[in-house]
Amino acid sequence: MKGIFSSAAAFALAFALFLSGCAATGGGHSDDNDGSYFVQLGLAREDLYIDGENLSVGDYEQLMGELRTLLNGLEEKFSVEIGESDLSRVNGAEAGQAVSVSEETAALMQMSREFAEESGGKFSPALYPLTELWGFSPANAGHYTDPRPSPSEESQQGAREVSDLSLFSLEEGNSVVKSASGAKLDFGGIAKGYMCDAVVSYIYEKYEGSGIDGIVNVSSSNSAYLGRKRDGQTLRGYNVGIENPRRLTTGISEGLYLVGVTDASVTTSADNYRFYVYDGKIYPHIIDPETGVPADRGIISVTVVVPNAAHKNAGAFADALSTAAFCMPLTDAIGFFETLSQKYGIGAVIITRDFKYYAVGDVTVMNRKEYAEYIGVGSENIEEVFSEGNKNSATDEIAACRVETEYIAKVESILN
């Protein structure tokens, strides 16, 4: 199962394709985007069951068309890449100017405040000035991986001053008003989860009263697992692979597995999408609200599992929580999810740059060998990627292991 790239050229091509943001969705059907829309939908006909039966081809295509229209409509409201979207108009407004927004945008504003409070401010949709400053906004498309020195302290300070959610207020009539002209919003850390929730709600409303089983993916990192997996007449929990964020050098795509997931939303945030390497250090696109710089807590991946019954917007919640935890010291992140587990039944898997993982809350996690034995295949030739860490002895000082150092050096050599 090990597949190391045979040449620097092959590595560079795969690396460029991966970082383009066009990763495959988890389902068997994805949108044929015409260049205007960027959100991808995965919903395989063979994985979707209504009262135990797959839809006909015609009914399935009709459903997919309706869902595509739904997602395109939401993207037109939320995207910072569309000039007349709600967010673009808010971001372009002057201080004190009221901007009328849609009910959906107002709902995301309200949810964002809720999730910001829940995370102690570690989740924030108001960091867009910092995102722009560090070169991760759409204006830098095609150059996200360009190595570059950090912005000046003066420019960082200026961006931090207008990267504050308290600068925005939601007024009556769904009007957004900001108190600083340079303040800007970006729902990148919550919108795809919200869109996944919208798809799930649409399906449940369309087939109200029916038993529904299936998997919904929005842009590959946000998924909803409906009901249970059908295997003939057998029903069981879903088995979900956790992406190995170092697969480009190890050749192994899935490093861990969640087993027995039912009726839950799952989101992963990792540092292998929109990042660059400079002077031997990875700079991910996720901005830490506390420091104002790309997150550097020793965490390389966070996967969150939120039961669909725990929150009416379980996908958005999972999306926001994975982003928030990525910006926390490891011990804080573990404690954060232990509290959420008691409160909501949430589970999480945190992977660190010393190639250890920490499972917290109501999740069953297996490494590669254990999972191979679980599904009844031989494990003697299976190579492990991550080892389980001890939560009781976890530390916030996380040194990169040898394989991590080799990964950074390899990526840096390709990008330079």
Side-chain angles (χ1 to χ4, degrees), residues 233-312:
Q233 297 302 312
T234 303
L235 287 171
R236 59 174 176 80
Y238 295 95
N239 298 331
V240 182
I242 296 179
E243 179 190 36
N244 169 20
R246 300 300 180 253
R247 70 185 187 275
L248 287 172
T249 50
T250 64
I252 297 173
S253 61
E254 295 177 335
L256 298 167
Y257 296 86
L258 296 167
V259 176
V261 175
T262 60
D263 271 322
S265 293
V266 180
T267 295
T268 295
S269 291
D271 68 354
N272 59 337
Y273 170 70
R274 288 195 183 182
F275 73 96
Y276 65 93
V277 176
Y278 183 78
D279 197 22
K281 180 180 177 181
I282 294 177
Y283 291 80
H285 74 283
I286 301 174
I287 303 297
D288 188 329
E290 181 179 338
T291 63
V293 306
D296 183 23
R297 302 290 188 171
I299 293 172
I300 64 175
S301 173
V302 179
T303 297
V304 179
V305 182
V306 178
N308 290 333
H311 196 285
K312 64 179 181 180

Side-chain angles (χ1 to χ4, degrees), residues 83-358:
E84 290 304 311
S85 72
D86 287 350
L87 257 61
S88 291
R89 291 185 295 107
V90 169
N91 291 347
E94 298 296 326
Q97 178 184 349
V99 179
S100 180
V101 299
S102 65
E103 291 184 5
E104 293 87 353
T105 299
L108 266 184
M109 284 284 293
Q110 292 172 332
M111 266 185 276
S112 292
R113 293 193 185 282
E114 173 192 337
F115 299 156
E117 182 177 354
E118 189 81 60
S119 66
K122 284 297 186 178
F123 169 76
S124 174
L127 305 178
Y128 197 54
L130 287 163
T131 296
E132 291 181 310
L133 179 66
W134 285 92
F136 292 116
S137 67
N140 294 281
H143 298 279
Y144 298 128
T145 60
D146 291 354
R148 49 195 182 270
S150 298
S152 69
E153 287 293 334
E154 182 180 2
S155 61
Q156 289 185 50
Q157 179 60 33
R160 281 197 295 269
E161 289 175 357
V162 290
S163 295
D164 190 333
L165 189 56
S166 68
L167 297 175
F168 295 86
S169 61
L170 183 62
E171 311 291 344
E172 289 186 13
N174 293 337
S175 291
V176 177
V177 180
K178 59 187 183 182
S179 58
S181 295
K184 297 180 180 180
L185 293 172
D186 176 19
F187 287 148
I190 187 175
K192 290 185 290 295
Y194 179 89
M195 290 177 176
C196 201
D197 292 330
V199 170
V200 171
S201 294
Y202 189 93
I203 292 172
Y204 275 116
E205 289 176 9
K206 185 177 180 70
Y207 303 103
E208 185 176 3
S210 301
I212 299 173
D213 303 287
I215 306 171
V216 174
N217 302 102
V218 172
S219 293
S220 75
S221 60
N222 297 265
S223 303
Y225 295 85
L226 311 181
R228 290 178 290 175
K229 182 175 178 58
R230 287 186 171 269
D231 186 4
Q233 297 302 312
T234 303
L235 287 171
R236 59 174 176 80
Y238 295 95
N239 298 331
V240 182
I242 296 179
E243 179 190 36
N244 169 20
R246 300 300 180 253
R247 70 185 187 275
L248 287 172
T249 50
T250 64
I252 297 173
S253 61
E254 295 177 335
L256 298 167
Y257 296 86
L258 296 167
V259 176
V261 175
T262 60
D263 271 322
S265 293
V266 180
T267 295
T268 295
S269 291
D271 68 354
N272 59 337
Y273 170 70
R274 288 195 183 182
F275 73 96
Y276 65 93
V277 176
Y278 183 78
D279 197 22
K281 180 180 177 181
I282 294 177
Y283 291 80
H285 74 283
I286 301 174
I287 303 297
D288 188 329
E290 181 179 338
T291 63
V293 306
D296 183 23
R297 302 290 188 171
I299 293 172
I300 64 175
S301 173
V302 179
T303 297
V304 179
V305 182
V306 178
N308 290 333
H311 196 285
K312 64 179 181 180
N313 292 101
F317 200 18
D319 202 358
L321 292 176
S322 66
T323 303
F326 202 91
C327 301
M328 296 180 182
L330 175 60
T331 55
D332 286 357
I334 290 172
F336 178 59
F337 285 120
E338 286 176 339
T339 298
L340 291 174
S341 175
Q342 297 172 1
K343 189 174 180 179
Y344 299 105
I346 286 172
V349 182
I350 305 165
I351 303 175
T352 51
R353 62 185 168 205
D354 55 359
F355 277 35
K356 293 182 180 178
Y357 73 91
Y358 300 85

